[in-house]
mmCIF file with all atom_site columns, all heavy atoms in Angstrom:
data_model
loop_
_atom_site.group_PDB
_atom_site.id
_atom_site.type_symbol
_atom_site.label_atom_id
_atom_site.label_alt_id
_atom_site.label_comp_id
_atom_site.label_asym_id
_atom_site.label_entity_id
_atom_site.label_seq_id
_atom_site.pdbx_PDB_ins_code
_atom_site.Cartn_x
_atom_site.Cartn_y
_atom_site.Cartn_z
_atom_site.occupancy
_atom_site.B_iso_or_equiv
_atom_site.pdbx_formal_charge
_atom_site.auth_seq_id
_atom_site.auth_comp_id
_atom_site.auth_asym_id
_atom_site.auth_atom_id
_atom_site.pdbx_PDB_model_num
ATOM 1  N N   . ASN B 1 144 ? 127.616 -162.491 -63.474 1.00 0.00 ? 144 ASN B N   1
ATOM 2  C CA  . ASN B 1 144 ? 128.073 -163.739 -64.004 1.00 0.00 ? 144 ASN B CA  1
ATOM 3  C C   . ASN B 1 144 ? 129.336 -164.230 -63.384 1.00 0.00 ? 144 ASN B C   1
ATOM 4  O O   . ASN B 1 144 ? 130.409 -164.190 -63.968 1.00 0.00 ? 144 ASN B O   1
ATOM 5  C CB  . ASN B 1 144 ? 128.235 -163.602 -65.560 1.00 0.00 ? 144 ASN B CB  1
ATOM 6  C CG  . ASN B 1 144 ? 128.875 -162.277 -65.890 1.00 0.00 ? 144 ASN B CG  1
ATOM 7  O OD1 . ASN B 1 144 ? 129.009 -161.436 -64.986 1.00 0.00 ? 144 ASN B OD1 1
ATOM 8  N ND2 . ASN B 1 144 ? 129.237 -162.072 -67.094 1.00 0.00 ? 144 ASN B ND2 1
ATOM 9  N N   . ARG B 1 145 ? 129.179 -164.607 -62.142 1.00 0.00 ? 145 ARG B N   1
ATOM 10 C CA  . ARG B 1 145 ? 130.353 -165.126 -61.424 1.00 0.00 ? 145 ARG B CA  1
ATOM 11 C C   . ARG B 1 145 ? 130.574 -166.553 -61.855 1.00 0.00 ? 145 ARG B C   1
ATOM 12 O O   . ARG B 1 145 ? 129.709 -167.402 -61.719 1.00 0.00 ? 145 ARG B O   1
ATOM 13 C CB  . ARG B 1 145 ? 130.092 -165.081 -59.942 1.00 0.00 ? 145 ARG B CB  1
ATOM 14 C CG  . ARG B 1 145 ? 131.094 -165.943 -59.203 1.00 0.00 ? 145 ARG B CG  1
ATOM 15 C CD  . ARG B 1 145 ? 131.215 -165.576 -57.791 1.00 0.00 ? 145 ARG B CD  1
ATOM 16 N NE  . ARG B 1 145 ? 131.746 -164.230 -57.636 1.00 0.00 ? 145 ARG B NE  1
ATOM 17 C CZ  . ARG B 1 145 ? 131.914 -163.624 -56.437 1.00 0.00 ? 145 ARG B CZ  1
ATOM 18 N NH1 . ARG B 1 145 ? 131.583 -164.266 -55.350 1.00 0.00 ? 145 ARG B NH1 1
ATOM 19 N NH2 . ARG B 1 145 ? 132.426 -162.439 -56.416 1.00 0.00 ? 145 ARG B NH2 1
ATOM 20 N N   . ILE B 1 146 ? 131.724 -166.801 -62.333 1.00 0.00 ? 146 ILE B N   1
ATOM 21 C CA  . ILE B 1 146 ? 132.051 -168.131 -62.705 1.00 0.00 ? 146 ILE B CA  1
ATOM 22 C C   . ILE B 1 146 ? 133.020 -168.693 -61.658 1.00 0.00 ? 146 ILE B C   1
ATOM 23 O O   . ILE B 1 146 ? 134.032 -168.009 -61.317 1.00 0.00 ? 146 ILE B O   1
ATOM 24 C CB  . ILE B 1 146 ? 132.792 -168.145 -64.058 1.00 0.00 ? 146 ILE B CB  1
ATOM 25 C CG1 . ILE B 1 146 ? 131.918 -167.443 -65.104 1.00 0.00 ? 146 ILE B CG1 1
ATOM 26 C CG2 . ILE B 1 146 ? 133.075 -169.564 -64.526 1.00 0.00 ? 146 ILE B CG2 1
ATOM 27 C CD1 . ILE B 1 146 ? 132.657 -167.060 -66.372 1.00 0.00 ? 146 ILE B CD1 1
ATOM 28 N N   . LYS B 1 147 ? 132.744 -169.853 -61.183 1.00 0.00 ? 147 LYS B N   1
ATOM 29 C CA  . LYS B 1 147 ? 133.630 -170.451 -60.199 1.00 0.00 ? 147 LYS B CA  1
ATOM 30 C C   . LYS B 1 147 ? 134.821 -170.996 -60.904 1.00 0.00 ? 147 LYS B C   1
ATOM 31 O O   . LYS B 1 147 ? 134.754 -171.914 -61.686 1.00 0.00 ? 147 LYS B O   1
ATOM 32 C CB  . LYS B 1 147 ? 132.890 -171.558 -59.476 1.00 0.00 ? 147 LYS B CB  1
ATOM 33 C CG  . LYS B 1 147 ? 132.062 -171.069 -58.295 1.00 0.00 ? 147 LYS B CG  1
ATOM 34 C CD  . LYS B 1 147 ? 132.702 -171.568 -56.988 1.00 0.00 ? 147 LYS B CD  1
ATOM 35 C CE  . LYS B 1 147 ? 131.998 -170.777 -55.872 1.00 0.00 ? 147 LYS B CE  1
ATOM 36 N NZ  . LYS B 1 147 ? 132.634 -171.022 -54.601 1.00 0.00 ? 147 LYS B NZ  1
ATOM 37 N N   . LEU B 1 148 ? 135.917 -170.440 -60.632 1.00 0.00 ? 148 LEU B N   1
ATOM 38 C CA  . LEU B 1 148 ? 137.155 -170.989 -61.198 1.00 0.00 ? 148 LEU B CA  1
ATOM 39 C C   . LEU B 1 148 ? 137.395 -172.357 -60.593 1.00 0.00 ? 148 LEU B C   1
ATOM 40 O O   . LEU B 1 148 ? 136.949 -172.601 -59.417 1.00 0.00 ? 148 LEU B O   1
ATOM 41 C CB  . LEU B 1 148 ? 138.324 -170.076 -60.923 1.00 0.00 ? 148 LEU B CB  1
ATOM 42 C CG  . LEU B 1 148 ? 138.261 -168.715 -61.519 1.00 0.00 ? 148 LEU B CG  1
ATOM 43 C CD1 . LEU B 1 148 ? 139.422 -167.859 -60.990 1.00 0.00 ? 148 LEU B CD1 1
ATOM 44 C CD2 . LEU B 1 148 ? 138.316 -168.745 -62.990 1.00 0.00 ? 148 LEU B CD2 1
ATOM 45 N N   . PRO B 1 149 ? 138.113 -173.193 -61.278 1.00 0.00 ? 149 PRO B N   1
ATOM 46 C CA  . PRO B 1 149 ? 138.419 -174.465 -60.662 1.00 0.00 ? 149 PRO B CA  1
ATOM 47 C C   . PRO B 1 149 ? 139.190 -174.246 -59.374 1.00 0.00 ? 149 PRO B C   1
ATOM 48 O O   . PRO B 1 149 ? 139.885 -173.273 -59.234 1.00 0.00 ? 149 PRO B O   1
ATOM 49 C CB  . PRO B 1 149 ? 139.222 -175.151 -61.715 1.00 0.00 ? 149 PRO B CB  1
ATOM 50 C CG  . PRO B 1 149 ? 139.505 -174.200 -62.749 1.00 0.00 ? 149 PRO B CG  1
ATOM 51 C CD  . PRO B 1 149 ? 138.459 -173.156 -62.691 1.00 0.00 ? 149 PRO B CD  1
ATOM 52 N N   . ALA B 1 150 ? 139.019 -175.177 -58.464 1.00 0.00 ? 150 ALA B N   1
ATOM 53 C CA  . ALA B 1 150 ? 139.546 -175.003 -57.138 1.00 0.00 ? 150 ALA B CA  1
ATOM 54 C C   . ALA B 1 150 ? 141.015 -174.709 -57.091 1.00 0.00 ? 150 ALA B C   1
ATOM 55 O O   . ALA B 1 150 ? 141.485 -173.866 -56.342 1.00 0.00 ? 150 ALA B O   1
ATOM 56 C CB  . ALA B 1 150 ? 139.220 -176.290 -56.311 1.00 0.00 ? 150 ALA B CB  1
#
Side-chain angles (χ1 to χ4, degrees):
Chain B
N144 39 353
R145 163 159 297 179
I146 305 164
K147 275 249 168 189
L148 296 174

